[in-house]
Amino acid sequence: MMTDRDVWVKAATILAEHGEMTADYIIDQLSDALDDEVAVEDWRRVAAAVDAITDAGSSGAN
């Protein structure tokens, strides 16, 4: 299982690398990990962190 720090670093890296395609990338990773419960939980946490970063960025722009 990923540490909290690893989750946030991964989320930030994915956003930086994939931009608007971030959701598609995460869906692909989740699809590949379906048989691994720990990996699915990690990707769920990463997706939540991506949402939090995105929400923080959009609220800061107002």
Side-chain angles (χ1 to χ4, degrees):
M1 182 163 264
M2 297 173 87
T3 66
D4 288 345
R5 181 183 187 285
D6 291 338
V7 167
W8 288 99
V9 168
K10 184 75 161 176
T13 301
I14 291 169
L15 278 167
E17 290 178 3
H18 298 280
E20 293 181 15
M21 301 302 290
T22 296
D24 292 334
Y25 176 79
I26 291 174
I27 290 167
D28 288 344
Q29 296 307 307
L30 276 167
S31 296
D32 291 345
L34 281 178
D35 292 331
D36 183 344
E37 290 182 35
V38 172
V40 169
E41 177 62 16
D42 283 342
W43 279 105
R44 185 196 65 77
R45 291 172 60 214
V46 169
V50 165
D51 287 344
I53 293 168
T54 302
D55 290 347
S58 64
S59 67
N62 291 332

